[in-house]
Amino acid sequence: MTHFHSMNSDEIREKFLNYFEERGHARVSSSSIVPQADPTLLFTNAGMVQFKDVFLGREPRPYTRATSSQKCVRAGGKHNDLDSVGRTARHHTFFEMLGNFSFGDYFKREAIEYAWGFLRKVMDLPADKLWPTVYEDDDEAFGLWQEIAGVPAEKITRLGKKDNFWSMGDTGPCGPCSEIMYDRGEEYSCGPDCGIGKCDCDRWLEIWNLVFMQYDSDEAGVLSPLPKPSIDTGMGLERIASVVQGVNSNFDTDLLRPIIARIEEVSGQSYYPDERGFPHRVIADHARACTFLISDGVLPSNDGRGYVLRRILRRAVRYGRKIGLNEPFLGRVAEAVIARMKGAYPELEERGDYVLRALELDEERFQSNLDRGLALIDGLIGQAASNGWSTIPGNELFRLYDTYGIPWELAAEIVQERLPDMAFDSSGFDIEMATQRERARAAHKAKAGMGEGFLDYEDLSLPATKFLAYETMSSSAVVVVLAAPEGRTQVVTEGEEVEVVLDQTPFYGERGGQVGDTGEIIGSSGRVAVTDTVWIGNNIVVHKGRVIEGRLSAGETVTATVDPKRRESIRRNHTATHMLNAALRIVLGSHVRQAGSLVAPDRLRFDFSHLGSVSRDELEQVQRLVNDAIRHNWPVVTTVTSYQEAIDMGALAFFDEKYGNDVRVVQVRESGRNFSMELCGGTHVSSTGEIGLCIITSEGGIGSNMRRLEAVTGGVAEELVESRLAALEAAARLLQSQPLDVPAKVQALQEQLELERKKLGAMQREMAKSAVGDLLGKVEQVDGLSLLSARVYVPDIDVMREMADWLRDRLGSGVIVLGAVIEDRPSFLTVVTKDLTSKGLHAGNLAKAVGALVGGGGGGRPEMGQSGGHDASGIDDALIKVRELIKR
């Protein structure tokens, strides 16, 4: 037999892929961890995810059998078992899935032959250690294992639906499974009842799952044979490596041991394979997941994938504390991940700086809050214990996350270390989080002026509106539905608000960030001014507006015409948005991901992910690139192709968007190559020269690792340039200089003004100092103490403070109240010498009382207080009444 330890994981991966290539399988690269065009999945969690549409017959490929090593993440959603990571030998958030696939080509016989051949002949695993399982009713697979592999019937275990039947969803392709278990030996047995399907101990290790996709399940659960049965298999690289390398845990394989070694190095704490090494295992696993997720474009945030990443990252930081890592450390661990995995996944090294920077920023942010958050958790634990709580309330969990960034799952894990039976109101946390999001959503909708439709059009079972916006801006159409505020109607008349659904339309309905068209719908006896167009579910386009002439009836033929000038402005801005995206990726890096956009006739807005700020120089580079492309008048080409072909071409896509079989690709062609290429359903110019000019008007942060850029194009950009030039020329005339000399002239004037300010301040201080002698002559005795209550003339509170200090030093013992009008408002400063504060006099309380006399308030320390108000005319009366306040 082969000496197991001689084969490292890179060799295992390569031998697997090569083995199936030799058997006619196309080697397919791993897809992104973020599933493209499948918003139903948080992460790619199996090798078959990138082939999902191929299995469903929606997407043709140039091959019928494939093999891959897929990077996967299982965390969040139904894979919510983070607390198991590090406690067991095989739980991971990130792992690699080796797989071979048949799309209607071979079936059970070949799948079993290939699997057995690889394990026996390539991996050289002993036959007596391999125990297949089959679905309880799958007699065919049961017989094939005996025929092909010579496995005795008593070594083949039949298991039920829970273990050995797989489905893609509630309906659709499904079929029985056959798992291959590896017997690690009796020394790992859990007892006399140990056996496959009976226990979950470390003796029986599942290393490969063969899925026989042979049925289609309908909503009633009825199974029908698929015309082309297929194969989907998955074998975890970490698991097969642990077997081949003869180690007890995935964490002892060469995939994870170098990362643990780096953790030992940065922490100074040795790793042990028992409970003492739990923090090392958590950090090693989570560092891998964080590194791969960030490399594939996920950044820490408050929801979705970003929230899961943040949970993983912050759990790692918390366990770093357990081994003395109180300063940011994940970047150094990620360096070991990149060094170990860059051979198989070169994108890790290409995006390494970006990964390390993202980790550093979020870890620093969390570390600064962690101590306060942990103290609050300690308080919660004490409160729960003393009050006999059985559940930690959801609002408390939300406060921990909202204020200190501690995900509730991490808080729960910390609490349960001391209170193992404590429950957590996770639904309450979800409600609080949803409420916060709804508030933000409502604020956004209110700001954007978004409203509801008159009808629930999705429930009307209407045929899809034929979409003509790419071809024309005017067409005939038939009125399918008319709706007024009161509901559906057959006729609308002049003055009424109306919503119109046509059988076909040249109007673009608001979608993908592009606002809806406006224009007119003209019938034989009436006219509707369309003020907005929206695209709703089932591809229905609704035209919103008002009847401005005559009447309109359901069923009549009309002419629908888009406002051409407004549409042209929208087209310019939409194409410019694509070009800004491309330019940002060139200047800032390929990590830039579109996170949202608004394409309106007068402006465009583009939200994107980026770490840190964007410098003025970088913005100028972006703007220059876009305007260079405009001047070159490059063609803008739109084509319709399959989704996979578009992605293979290099088109950018929204990860969270659900695309159909056919997609529209918009390309800005630069001398035979693409300057920009995106999947997009919007309207665009035919060449970049039509944009005219693009000016970036603003750029700034809008959240964690999120930026927003705004710009204008065409005539709006020209008007902006003209207005700015006019303002510059006006400033030049006022400054009696040339326009290009204005900045230097303004700077010189600012420096001169600052110099004059300093001179004036010095003069005012001298004048105030000279007034001290006169003020001391106004000191009076009130109940045996010295009181100075006087109006002074000073430019600001700082000079009044200096004056009070001089007076206190000269007075020695007493109370000083100075009043002045500063910026048209009454201001007071009160001073009580230390010998009098011990007798109960308090400058802050006195200041508050004086401020109340002029309609305001104040406060301060025993020795000094400050107050102010609104009624400057009452300042002298207030100073006179200080005597009475002192007596009280």
Side-chain angles (χ1 to χ4, degrees):
M1 283 181 59
T2 300
H3 181 54
F4 286 173
H5 293 274
S6 65
M7 196 181 300
N8 65 39
S9 54
D10 291 327
E11 291 172 314
I12 295 171
R13 185 193 301 110
E14 182 57 33
K15 284 179 180 293
F16 180 90
L17 296 172
N18 187 61
Y19 175 84
F20 282 100
E21 268 190 309
E22 290 174 349
R23 286 152 182 80
H25 293 64
R27 183 187 293 217
V28 180
S29 297
S30 171
S31 64
S32 170
I33 291 174
V34 180
Q36 295 202 22
D38 192 350
T40 63
L41 280 177
L42 268 180
F43 303 111
T44 298
N45 55 22
M48 62 78 57
V49 169
Q50 69 165 311
F51 303 114
K52 187 174 178 180
D53 283 344
V54 184
F55 282 121
L56 292 171
R58 296 173 183 163
E59 181 192 327
R61 292 277 180 107
Y63 45 78
T64 57
R65 46 176 75 185
T67 185
S68 69
S69 180
Q70 175 66 49
K71 47 190 178 184
C72 299
V73 165
R74 289 186 181 173
K78 67 179 182 179
H79 301 293
N80 203 8
D81 53 0
L82 270 182
D83 58 339
S84 297
V85 174
R87 299 190 191 282
T88 72
R90 328 224 176 267
H91 270 97
H92 298 292
T93 50
F94 172 87
F95 62 96
E96 289 184 76
M97 184 75 86
L98 304 171
N100 59 288
F101 311 91
S102 164
F103 313 116
D105 186 336
Y106 61 81
F107 198 45
K108 291 182 186 178
R109 174 176 291 276
E110 293 87 344
I112 291 172
E113 282 179 351
Y114 293 152
W116 188 253
F118 179 76
L119 293 176
R120 291 284 294 118
K121 296 175 183 176
V122 181
M123 294 293 99
D124 207 7
L125 299 185
D128 64 328
K129 291 285 189 181
L130 301 173
W131 294 63
T133 72
V134 297
Y135 180 53
E136 57 191 357
D137 295 336
D138 194 351
D139 295 332
E140 181 185 5
F142 189 87
L144 286 170
W145 275 112
Q146 296 174 72
E147 175 191 340
I148 294 167
V151 178
E154 61 271 17
K155 282 191 65 178
I156 305 170
T157 307
R158 293 181 185 264
L159 296 175
K161 196 166 187 177
K162 178 177 175 292
D163 295 297
N164 270 31
F165 197 91
W166 179 92
S167 59
M168 192 175 285
D170 294 334
T171 61
C174 56
C177 305
S178 181
E179 296 177 336
I180 304 173
M181 314 294 288
Y182 183 81
D183 180 6
R184 299 179 67 232
E186 288 187 12
E187 62 270 30
Y188 296 97
S189 174
C190 59
D193 294 328
C194 181
I196 297 171
K198 297 178 183 178
C199 63
D200 194 25
C201 73
D202 280 346
R203 175 173 180 177
W204 306 102
L205 177 63
E206 177 203 334
I207 56 174
W208 206 341
N209 188 16
L210 315 179
V211 178
F212 308 132
M213 217 178 293
Q214 65 187 96
Y215 299 114
D216 184 31
S217 176
D218 64 17
E219 292 179 357
V222 176
L223 302 180
S224 306
L226 287 172
K228 289 186 176 181
S230 298
I231 292 293
D232 161 29
T233 83
M235 176 164 60
L237 177 60
E238 290 79 5
R239 291 196 177 195
I240 188 63
S242 73
V243 170
V244 171
Q245 293 172 11
V247 294
N248 292 332
S249 163
N250 292 358
F251 291 94
D252 292 324
T253 66
D254 67 322
L255 285 163
L256 284 147
R257 208 61 182 82
I259 303 167
I260 290 174
R262 174 59 59 87
I263 297 165
E264 290 179 300
E265 177 188 328
V266 299
S267 68
Q269 297 287 322
S270 298
Y271 170 68
Y272 299 93
D274 55 20
E275 183 63 26
R276 291 172 293 173
F278 175 55
H280 293 74
R281 293 191 290 273
V282 170
I283 296 167
D285 171 273
H286 290 8
R288 283 209 310 169
C290 291
T291 302
F292 274 92
L293 282 167
I294 295 170
S295 172
D296 275 2
V298 182
L299 287 173
S301 68
N302 286 341
D303 54 14
R305 298 180 180 104
Y307 178 73
V308 176
L309 170 58
R310 180 162 279 169
R311 276 183 58 204
I312 295 170
L313 189 157
R314 295 186 171 185
R315 187 171 187 258
V317 171
R318 192 252 166 170
Y319 278 99
R321 291 287 183 100
K322 296 275 191 182
I323 53 174
L325 293 167
N326 297 317
E327 300 294 329
F329 65 90
L330 276 176
R332 293 179 65 189
V333 181
E335 288 173 345
V337 176
I338 294 168
R340 177 63 193 83
M341 304 300 291
K342 66 184 181 182
Y345 302 102
E347 66 270 18
L348 292 179
E349 187 170 38
E350 294 164 11
R351 303 165 193 165
D353 290 343
Y354 173 69
V355 170
L356 300 182
R357 179 64 177 146
L359 284 170
E360 177 189 2
L361 285 173
D362 204 69
E363 188 177 1
E364 283 179 350
R365 191 178 296 123
F366 184 50
Q367 288 275 17
S368 65
N369 283 329
L370 185 54
D371 288 329
R372 284 175 290 171
L374 290 174
L376 190 60
I377 292 175
D378 284 340
L380 264 180
I381 291 171
Q383 194 176 355
S386 61
N387 294 335
W389 289 0
S390 59
T391 302
I392 301 292
N395 63 329
E396 294 289 352
L397 296 171
F398 181 73
R399 186 159 67 99
L400 275 169
Y401 180 67
D402 196 41
T403 308
Y404 299 106
I406 299 178
W408 81 260
E409 299 91 343
L410 178 55
E413 193 171 348
I414 296 168
V415 171
Q416 284 185 327
E417 288 176 1
R418 285 165 58 182
L419 301 174
D421 297 327
M422 184 60 66
F424 302 89
D425 180 17
S426 61
S427 59
F429 173 88
D430 292 339
I431 290 169
E432 294 278 354
M433 184 74 91
T435 302
Q436 186 187 69
R437 287 177 188 146
E438 189 53 44
R439 282 196 298 266
R441 203 174 291 120
H444 169 72
K445 288 181 77 170
K447 186 177 179 182
M450 297 164 66
E452 300 294 328
F454 297 154
L455 300 176
D456 188 346
Y457 292 95
E458 293 187 60
D459 283 349
L460 296 182
S461 300
L462 300 174
T465 307
K466 187 177 180 183
F467 190 56
L468 307 175
Y470 301 139
E471 303 145 32
T472 182
M473 280 192 274
S474 183
S475 73
S476 64
V478 175
V479 177
V480 177
V481 173
L482 284 178
E486 299 78 25
R488 191 166 181 174
T489 183
Q490 291 300 304
V491 178
V492 287
T493 56
E494 188 170 330
E496 285 190 84
E497 288 185 51
V498 65
E499 292 179 352
V500 185
V501 177
L502 304 173
D503 66 332
Q504 60 180 15
T505 183
F507 283 73
Y508 185 92
E510 181 173 347
R511 193 182 193 193
Q514 179 173 325
V515 298
D517 282 331
T518 62
E520 288 188 328
I521 297 174
I522 302 174
S524 57
S525 56
R527 186 156 55 103
V528 172
V530 178
T531 56
D532 194 14
T533 311
V534 296
W535 189 309
I536 63 173
N538 302 327
N539 291 332
I540 307 299
V541 177
V542 178
H543 309 76
K544 300 186 174 200
R546 182 180 292 274
V547 184
I548 58 174
E549 184 182 309
R551 55 191 280 151
L552 197 69
S553 304
E556 75 170 289
T557 299
V558 295
T559 300
T561 304
V562 173
D563 178 341
K565 186 176 179 181
R566 185 174 181 275
R567 165 73 77 78
E568 289 302 323
S569 296
I570 293 170
R571 288 173 58 187
R572 281 192 288 269
N573 282 339
H574 204 152
T575 305
T577 303
H578 284 216
M579 294 166 70
L580 283 164
N581 188 8
L584 284 165
R585 289 169 62 85
I586 292 169
V587 174
L588 303 180
S590 60
H591 62 270
V592 166
R593 306 262 174 156
Q594 181 173 345
S597 66
L598 171 68
V599 179
D602 59 336
R603 65 193 174 101
L604 67 89
R605 186 180 73 219
F606 185 74
D607 297 343
F608 59 98
S609 60
H610 178 61
L611 305 173
S613 60
V614 181
S615 69
R616 168 52 54 185
D617 180 60
E618 288 170 331
L619 274 183
E620 288 174 356
Q621 288 182 57
V622 168
Q623 183 172 283
R624 196 176 302 117
L625 279 169
V626 172
N627 284 311
D628 281 348
I630 290 170
R631 282 191 297 276
H632 280 90
N633 197 26
W634 290 327
V636 179
V637 181
T638 59
T639 55
V640 176
T641 184
S642 72
Y643 172 80
Q644 189 58 46
E645 186 173 340
I647 296 303
D648 292 343
M649 288 162 57
L652 297 180
F654 264 138
F655 285 133
D656 288 330
E657 188 77 25
K658 180 64 178 173
Y659 297 97
N661 293 336
D662 293 328
V663 294
R664 192 163 175 266
V665 182
V666 178
Q667 303 171 71
V668 176
R669 299 288 292 163
E670 174 195 357
S671 305
R673 66 184 184 90
N674 289 311
F675 175 77
S676 164
M677 180 164 57
E678 297 186 30
L679 303 190
C680 180
T683 58
H684 290 270
V685 299
S686 57
S687 61
T688 58
E690 295 175 38
I691 298 170
L693 178 67
C694 179
I695 300 293
I696 296 172
T697 56
S698 68
E699 191 282 332
I702 56 170
S704 177
N705 306 318
M706 295 299 300
R707 311 292 298 177
R708 171 168 290 172
L709 177 152
E710 297 198 10
V712 292
T713 66
V716 179
E718 290 171 11
E719 290 170 8
L720 178 66
V721 171
E722 287 167 2
S723 65
R724 287 181 175 178
L725 284 173
L728 179 62
E729 288 168 358
R733 285 194 297 273
L734 290 171
L735 294 168
Q736 299 180 342
S737 70
Q738 294 299 312
L740 291 179
D741 296 331
V742 165
K745 189 81 171 180
V746 169
Q747 185 177 358
L749 284 172
Q750 284 178 325
E751 291 170 356
Q752 181 67 29
L753 183 61
E754 183 59 29
L755 184 63
E756 296 300 328
R757 277 201 193 101
K758 288 178 180 177
K759 288 179 181 178
L760 179 60
M763 289 174 60
Q764 288 169 334
R765 280 172 172 77
E766 286 302 315
M767 290 172 64
K769 201 167 189 178
S770 67
V772 168
D774 294 337
L775 288 170
L776 287 170
K778 298 180 180 180
V779 175
E780 57 185 308
Q781 296 298 309
V782 178
D783 290 347
L785 60 82
S786 298
L787 169 65
L788 172 59
S789 179
R791 182 167 182 167
V792 295
Y793 299 89
V794 293
D796 55 47
I797 195 70
D798 290 335
V799 173
M800 188 154 64
R801 227 179 250 118
E802 287 184 23
M803 183 178 277
D805 289 341
W806 297 328
L807 288 165
R808 182 185 55 204
D809 293 342
R810 299 279 294 275
L811 190 62
S813 174
V815 177
I816 302 166
V817 180
L818 302 180
V821 178
I822 298 173
E823 295 180 354
D824 300 323
R825 294 169 72 93
S827 295
F828 299 93
L829 195 71
T830 61
V831 173
V832 176
T833 55
K834 284 186 178 180
D835 62 311
L836 297 179
T837 60
S838 61
K839 296 180 180 179
L841 280 171
H842 191 289
N845 294 341
L846 181 58
K848 184 177 180 182
V850 173
L853 296 174
V854 288
R861 296 175 285 110
E863 296 87 4
M864 181 175 283
Q866 188 175 324
S867 56
H870 305 285
D871 183 10
S873 66
I875 191 169
D876 292 321
D877 287 341
L879 289 166
I880 291 170
K881 290 177 181 177
V882 170
R883 298 182 190 90
E884 298 173 20
L885 295 173
I886 292 292
K887 287 181 179 180
R888 291 178 198 169

